Amino acid sequence: MIFGLVHPLLDISTTVDQHYLDRFGLKANDGILAQEKHRELYDELLNGSRFDVKKIPGGATQNALRVAQWYLRERHATTIVGCVGDDKVGQDMKELLDREGCRTELMVAEGANTGTCAVLVSAGANRSMVTRLDAANLYKHSHLISDKVWSIVQESSFFYVSSFMLNCSCDTITTIGDYAVKENKCFMMNLSAPYLSSLFKDAMQTVLPYCDIVVGNSDEALALAENFKFNVTELYEVVKMLADLPKHNKQRKRIVMITQQELPVIVYSDGDIVEYPVISISSEDIVDTNSAGDAFVGGFLAGYAVEKPLKDCVQNGIEAAHMILQVSGCTLTLRD
């Protein structure tokens, strides 16, 4: 079973025109954290009747786990742990995740709003994303070590976390990491965003030694190399140095996977680097690129959790990313 520590967000997607974007000072193709001036935007999307709104569970780590669950099919093959508010948005998201087969053990922060991401689709398949973290940033270590949640940790064979969680839950991540090392279970972290290796450098340095698998994109890897003073800029060298960073679990050799959009996925394992070409796709067939990286991780996780060969796991991730590129958001068809 795969255990994921996530920022649970509910994506609220709708189509708007340029005038609506201008009203809130938004760019057509961008991603920002919500400000006070965006409060009215959320009120209109959540409470109004003007828009045809689509609600999809979101957040990078949550999306990866949803994709893994979709592939694995067995109900509760994945567990999603994080923090939501005591509101209808949190209830809606939990119901949607349950419908997809994911198990959720969500801490509820009283008086807080569940994290949301407004996804505003405009002409040319552009997407302006406005994220309100709210309760997602309030997760507490005490929830992890509660009897119920810790029993799920003990049942799990694979742990996946996002670097976004370094902000609020570094102690939670290291507790999971200590357990994974002790029991020789696999621990994987996503670099998540280029700025995180600078803003949370100390926390990332603390957590990286627990990582058996590190995944990210080329921008994130190069930013980490600069912030950690690797003194190299060639991506192959960055990958090797990342793999050679100190490691707690000596029974597992670190795997590093770096995606490069339309360029091959770089995978370092057991001293060798292999490039895996992605599946070609025409620009006309691309609906949304925002969740492709999440889908890659989800497809990989689904294979790795059932002990498929590494090359098959990577290929599974590439196929998952190709699938998600052709739909809006991380939209998954329900299976029986």
Side-chain angles (χ1 to χ4, degrees):
M1 182 174 66
I2 304 170
F3 182 103
L5 184 65
V6 315
H7 268 159
L9 302 176
L10 185 69
D11 285 351
I12 306 163
S13 180
T14 193
T15 301
V16 301
D17 57 22
Q18 185 62 45
H19 176 73
Y20 195 78
L21 295 175
D22 293 340
R23 177 182 159 196
F24 292 100
L26 299 173
K27 297 177 182 178
N29 195 28
D30 198 13
I32 64 169
L33 289 176
Q35 302 174 32
E36 181 62 29
K37 65 181 180 181
H38 300 122
R39 183 180 296 276
E40 187 177 354
L41 163 66
Y42 278 95
D43 288 341
E44 292 181 5
L45 293 181
L46 291 170
N47 304 318
S49 57
R50 174 180 174 184
F51 298 103
D52 180 16
V53 172
K54 185 177 184 181
K55 296 179 181 179
I56 311 170
T61 311
Q62 186 162 265
N63 280 341
L65 291 164
R66 293 174 55 232
V67 172
Q69 178 67 51
W70 188 85
Y71 272 100
L72 291 168
R73 298 196 179 206
E74 179 185 351
R75 186 166 177 79
H76 293 176
T78 61
T79 297
I80 291 173
V81 176
C83 185
V84 297
D86 56 347
D87 55 10
K88 188 177 185 303
V89 174
Q91 294 171 3
D92 289 346
M93 181 163 60
K94 186 170 182 177
E95 290 174 5
L96 290 168
L97 291 168
D98 180 72
R99 201 178 306 159
E100 292 180 344
C102 301
R103 173 158 58 178
T104 57
E105 289 297 337
L106 300 172
M107 172 186 159
V108 177
E110 294 185 10
N113 295 314
T114 296
T116 50
C117 180
V119 182
L120 306 178
V121 183
S122 58
N126 285 313
R127 275 156 178 75
S128 184
M129 297 180 293
V130 186
T131 300
R132 195 171 67 182
L133 289 173
D134 290 335
N137 229 22
L138 300 178
Y139 188 77
K140 303 298 182 186
H141 180 265
S142 56
H143 182 261
L144 175 79
I145 60 174
S146 64
D147 289 345
K148 185 176 183 181
V149 178
W150 192 252
S151 68
I152 298 172
V153 170
Q154 293 173 314
E155 294 171 9
S156 301
S157 57
F158 194 105
F159 302 98
Y160 177 56
V161 302
S162 159
S163 294
F164 286 122
M165 296 299 292
L166 295 172
N167 180 34
C168 63
S169 298
C170 190
D171 56 344
T172 302
I173 296 172
T174 57
T175 296
I176 296 171
D178 284 330
Y179 173 78
V181 171
K182 179 182 175 182
E183 300 296 328
N184 191 26
K185 295 182 177 182
C186 192
F187 184 97
M188 177 176 174
M189 185 171 76
N190 197 316
L191 298 178
S192 301
Y195 69 87
L196 293 173
S197 59
S198 172
L199 191 59
F200 303 116
K201 179 180 177 180
D202 290 345
M204 189 171 284
Q205 285 178 319
T206 297
V207 171
L208 275 171
Y210 291 103
C211 297
D212 301 306
I213 303 176
V214 177
V215 63
N217 63 39
S218 54
D219 290 339
E220 294 158 0
L222 292 171
L224 183 145
E226 180 179 355
N227 294 320
F228 280 49
K229 302 190 185 306
F230 283 2
N231 297 319
V232 295
T233 56
E234 203 279 321
L235 194 55
Y236 268 37
E237 295 303 315
V238 171
V239 169
K240 290 177 182 177
M241 292 185 71
L242 182 52
D244 288 339
L245 288 175
K247 192 171 186 303
H248 292 322
N249 186 352
K250 307 302 183 185
Q251 299 181 69
R252 294 175 179 268
K253 294 183 179 180
R254 181 175 290 137
I255 297 169
V256 178
M257 300 186 295
I258 302 298
T259 61
Q260 306 181 86
Q261 297 182 341
E262 75 278 5
L263 298 177
V265 179
I266 297 174
V267 178
Y268 181 96
S269 174
D270 202 18
D272 293 323
I273 286 184
V274 178
E275 290 191 353
Y276 293 84
V278 301
I279 302 169
S280 61
I281 182 172
S282 67
S283 58
E284 292 80 9
D285 289 332
I286 297 175
V287 176
D288 192 346
T289 62
N290 292 322
S291 298
D294 307 338
F296 170 80
V297 174
F300 174 88
L301 283 172
Y304 205 84
V306 295
E307 300 182 347
K308 286 186 177 181
L310 179 61
K311 63 180 180 62
D312 293 344
C313 299
V314 176
Q315 191 59 42
N316 207 50
I318 289 171
E319 291 171 1
H322 183 75
M323 174 181 72
I324 292 298
L325 280 170
Q326 300 175 73
V327 296
S328 178
C330 193
T331 302
L332 300 166
T333 57
L334 292 178
R335 286 174 159 171
D336 294 333

